[in-house]
Amino acid sequence: MDPSLLILALAGSIAGVAAMALPGVHVNALALVVLALAPDSGERGVAFLLGALAGSPFGLALGTTFLGASTDDGAMPSLPAHALAAEGRGAQAVALQAWGAFAGIALALPMAAAMRPLIESLPWGTLLPWLLLAVLVLLVASERTRPPVHRRWTAVPWQAHVRARGPLQTGPRVGRYRFADPHKILEAARVGDEVEVELEATWARGPLSRASGMALAALTLALSGWLGWIALRMGAASPLGLPASSLLPLLAGLFAVPSLLTMLRADHAPVHVRLRVHPPPRGELLRRVAPGALAASLLGLVPGITTSHVAALTPRAEHPERALLTLGAVNGAAVVFGLLAWHALGKARHGALVAAQRIAAPIAWHTTLPPPELLSEAALVLLSAGAACLLARALARPAAAAPPRPLARMGLALVVLMTLATCGLWGLSVLVAGALVGSVPVRLGVRRSLLMGAILVPAALRAWGIG
Amino acid sequence: MRRRLHPDLVVVLLAIAGVAALHVASALTTPPLVTLAEAPARSGARVAVEARVLDVTHGARGRAITLAQDGTRLLALAAEAPGPQRGDVVRAVGVSDGEKLSIDRITIVLQAGARALDPSDLARSPQDHDGTRVLVRGDVRDGTLSGGGSRIDITGLPPPTPTGVWLAAGVFRYHSNDASYKLTVDTWTPAS
């Protein structure tokens, strides 16, 4: 192995950790910068990008644990990393995700080698449209939100109501109403009596709540899909002649900007870090990592699938610590299966690989044993991941102490500047529309991962030959 | 009394309005017309090209259309639909990815064989017409069709007269290894 490639990969892993840890920045943005600065860098540029990709799950662990951790009811308060961070155990959350990610990468490498013949032999041309359709249907059907859509009437005492709210705004309505009477106002009334009561409406969950939740999920998916279809169809051109991709404003608008705005508004409490973290026993680690790595294989196969989608396929963990190991494994193994799709199918599923593909063509892998260049690449990825794992753990303390609001402001400024530089005013319009659509799941209470409809829906339409 | 909209509904309506506005803006935007040689350099951008269709193949995920212009060839991918034939000059609109075009709109500008070409037109850019059906106006002489200082070998249906000006319709072939041109004629029409 060329030592300079190793040095570049390690440098890439540091950059990848930093890019994913900083709010508003992403490894895809870093890849665009590399492409702009060194479009003819060949295998050196690819080594740097592979290192960045391998380091990205570790930076993500830092970013999601500390910079999303707030006392506000933010976008993803239920994330296990936030739960630990809120208890002052953020360093443990980072360590667990980092161990999971490294183990996921290590485990996914032989799994990818074993799965390659199967992946290559599948009839993707006919399978992909159905696979994408199934993913879309599953995303809607698996929505867990149960909005309160059933109106329930409750009788309230007249005087109490008038005292509390002033004179009534509406006149009396005559009709038959079914209502609850917790204050026993009608205790003396008999069946058949005509009574005049003051009713208050409340919204409750009921039989239609599940269908309503699915309808809200479908709305979010359709809206993001519509936006993605427009953005991808229109492409992007840089006013400065830089490499352009409409994915940058699209994904930044959908995911980064709403999170950054939430960070700006949130009332951040200081997060304490307990630094002494013990690694989990090997058996426990393997039990949690293996399902995550296996589920992540879907990420390499189907476009538009995210780690949160496949994480839902893993067994539910009873404790946040265990969930974090699995989540880390999904993120880590996603890197490996992305590389498998790149080499075996020629499909770049990560932004960093799209950039790498423009710098140098991927090494094709169609034999049982991987070619020597791929073994070197696997070693680069593993070493970069190891370095990133150590780095992420070392950075846990400074990350916890980092002021989120200035970072969020800096992130927002960076997103806007990068969008303007690479995609011009059109990109800025996509960013704004993306930010509006990205706020919808938080408002409706549905999963944010539905926003990946921006990639899934156009991919499904293309696969089905529509549009 | 006017009821105020729920803040969540306001956000959803704003999002719908934002995407709809973007849709309208995209429909009103005309992409720049570039040459086929320029298109790969505009990676990620939406462009329009005018080129001749050299080949159309149908796969499980749509059509692969080979476009040619001034000796440059480029692959364009499009959804399955009744579309252009070999030799048609088309205007294709789509996003360049540096290697190929993903097109969503393709219109025929000039149908194959709709306009009579001169043998020199074919000789100037033979790659753009290779394998396509063409209509050529030329002087028949010694088994060739000549015009504008260029000559094309003719095979297939023999010319009605050994000499004279004729319109020949057929499939044009260019052999790059020996730089020879051949027109397999199936119809001869007197040139008026």
Side-chain angles (χ1 to χ4, degrees):
Chain A
M1 188 194 298
D2 184 351
S4 66
L5 293 184
L6 178 61
I7 292 167
L8 279 166
L10 292 176
S13 76
I14 295 170
V17 170
M20 291 301 283
L22 289 171
V25 193
H26 195 272
V27 73
N28 293 351
L30 176 72
L32 262 184
V33 172
V34 172
L35 189 61
L37 296 177
D40 304 315
S41 50
E43 61 175 355
R44 285 163 188 259
V46 173
F48 183 88
L49 287 174
L50 286 179
L53 187 62
S56 61
F58 304 92
L60 185 69
L62 282 169
T64 53
T65 304
F66 293 114
L67 299 172
S70 71
T71 53
D72 188 47
D73 56 342
M76 294 175 286
S78 58
L79 278 179
H82 291 194
L84 289 193
E87 293 172 16
R89 294 195 290 155
Q92 188 185 2
V94 172
L96 288 168
Q97 288 174 87
W99 285 323
F102 185 74
I105 289 177
L107 197 63
L109 283 170
M111 280 168 80
M115 286 170 79
R116 188 207 56 83
L118 173 75
I119 287 169
E120 215 178 25
S121 63
L122 288 173
W124 287 108
T126 46
L127 199 63
L128 196 63
W130 293 103
L131 210 53
L132 287 166
L133 190 66
V135 169
L136 287 171
V137 171
L138 270 175
L139 277 177
V140 173
S142 63
E143 180 54 51
R144 291 190 191 135
T145 296
R146 302 283 183 269
V149 290
H150 294 269
R151 193 156 62 169
R152 304 263 192 258
W153 294 102
T154 307
V156 290
W158 270 90
Q159 291 306 314
H161 184 90
V162 172
R163 269 202 307 273
R165 298 188 188 173
L168 294 178
Q169 297 294 338
T170 53
R173 292 183 193 173
V174 179
R176 291 175 68 173
Y177 287 86
R178 182 189 289 269
F179 58 90
D181 184 19
H183 306 292
K184 304 196 185 304
I185 295 164
L186 300 177
E187 206 171 28
R190 287 171 302 177
V191 174
D193 284 357
E194 277 192 10
V195 291
E196 195 171 316
V197 287
E198 173 68 14
L199 298 179
E200 241 180 25
T202 52
W203 295 93
R205 292 188 176 87
L208 287 177
S209 292
R210 185 163 192 268
S212 306
M214 282 159 61
L216 293 178
L219 171 73
T220 308
L221 200 64
L223 201 54
S224 59
W226 186 15
L227 176 67
W229 180 77
I230 296 167
L232 297 176
R233 189 169 164 268
M234 289 302 286
S238 165
L240 306 176
L242 298 171
S245 169
S246 51
L247 284 173
L248 174 73
L250 178 65
L251 297 179
L254 288 171
F255 294 101
V257 174
S259 299
L260 290 168
L261 292 175
T262 305
M263 273 177 74
L264 277 177
R265 284 196 304 266
D267 178 22
H268 290 277
V271 179
H272 304 286
V273 183
R274 189 184 295 167
L275 286 173
R276 201 167 286 174
V277 183
H278 302 289
R282 275 184 202 159
E284 171 73 11
L285 186 68
L286 197 66
R287 266 199 304 279
R288 295 296 151 196
V289 165
L294 190 66
S297 61
L298 271 177
L299 285 161
L301 308 181
V302 189
I305 296 278
T306 67
T307 48
S308 57
H309 295 148
V310 296
L313 300 175
T314 57
R316 192 168 292 179
E318 317 83 70
H319 306 293
E321 292 88 345
R322 291 174 180 170
L324 285 172
L325 281 174
T326 310
L327 194 65
V330 170
N331 289 330
V335 171
V336 176
F337 286 105
L339 284 170
L340 174 68
W342 195 44
H343 291 297
L345 303 175
K347 303 282 182 196
R349 303 274 191 237
H350 297 282
L353 294 181
V354 173
Q357 198 157 0
R358 290 192 196 171
I359 292 173
I363 303 154
W365 180 16
H366 302 299
T367 50
T368 311
L369 288 174
E373 299 93 334
L374 278 192
L375 290 175
S376 302
E377 195 178 293
L380 279 185
V381 167
L382 208 55
L383 289 169
S384 305
C389 184
L390 294 172
L391 184 66
R393 291 202 56 201
L395 287 175
R397 193 175 188 174
R405 280 208 186 110
L407 277 175
R409 278 190 210 106
M410 187 197 75
L412 268 178
L414 204 63
V415 165
V416 171
L417 281 176
M418 274 205 73
T419 300
L420 276 172
T422 59
C423 304
L425 284 175
W426 170 257
L428 198 62
S429 314
V430 173
L431 186 80
V432 172
L436 284 169
V437 176
S439 309
V440 167
V442 183
R443 291 289 181 164
L444 297 183
V446 295
R447 288 170 298 171
R448 287 210 322 159
S449 58
L450 287 162
L451 295 172
M452 278 310 281
I455 307 290
L456 271 169
V457 171
L461 289 175
R462 183 161 279 278
W464 281 95
I466 306 165
Chain B
M1 185 186 150
R2 185 182 291 176
R3 288 182 68 181
R4 289 180 65 190
L5 285 175
H6 194 281
D8 295 347
L9 183 61
V10 172
V11 171
V12 173
L13 290 176
L14 274 175
I16 293 171
V19 181
L22 213 59
H23 193 139
V24 172
S26 74
L28 296 175
T29 309
T30 312
L33 184 67
V34 299
T35 64
L36 222 50
E38 277 179 300
R42 300 209 175 203
S43 182
R46 185 171 173 80
V47 292
V49 292
E50 265 192 21
R52 190 176 299 278
V53 174
L54 269 195
D55 193 25
V56 182
T57 55
H58 299 265
R61 295 178 63 186
R63 293 170 293 168
I65 303 167
T66 308
L67 299 172
Q69 186 193 52
D70 298 332
T72 307
R73 291 182 184 195
L74 194 68
L75 189 68
L77 302 177
E80 200 57 64
Q85 306 294 317
R86 278 179 163 197
D88 290 346
V89 175
V90 295
R91 185 186 173 91
V93 181
V95 176
S96 161
D97 75 353
E99 292 171 357
K100 55 188 181 300
L101 281 178
S102 290
I103 55 174
D104 52 72
R105 205 186 308 159
I106 187 161
T107 46
I108 298 171
V109 177
L110 190 68
Q111 278 201 321
R115 184 172 68 86
L117 299 167
D118 196 79
S120 61
D121 294 333
L122 294 173
R124 201 176 301 123
S125 53
Q127 300 97 325
D128 295 0
H129 300 272
D130 187 23
T132 65
R133 186 170 174 76
V134 291
L135 181 67
V136 189
R137 186 180 189 279
D139 220 348
V140 174
R141 193 175 300 157
D142 304 328
T144 63
L145 203 58
S146 57
S150 303
R151 286 197 303 182
I152 304 167
D153 291 335
I154 44 179
T155 59
L157 197 67
T161 58
T163 56
V165 180
W166 286 89
L167 277 170
V171 177
F172 176 76
R173 282 281 172 208
Y174 168 62
H175 301 282
S176 56
N177 46 358
D178 58 352
S180 65
Y181 323 123
K182 197 169 279 181
L183 183 67
T184 307
V185 182
D186 53 52
T187 314
W188 289 99
T189 319
S192 55

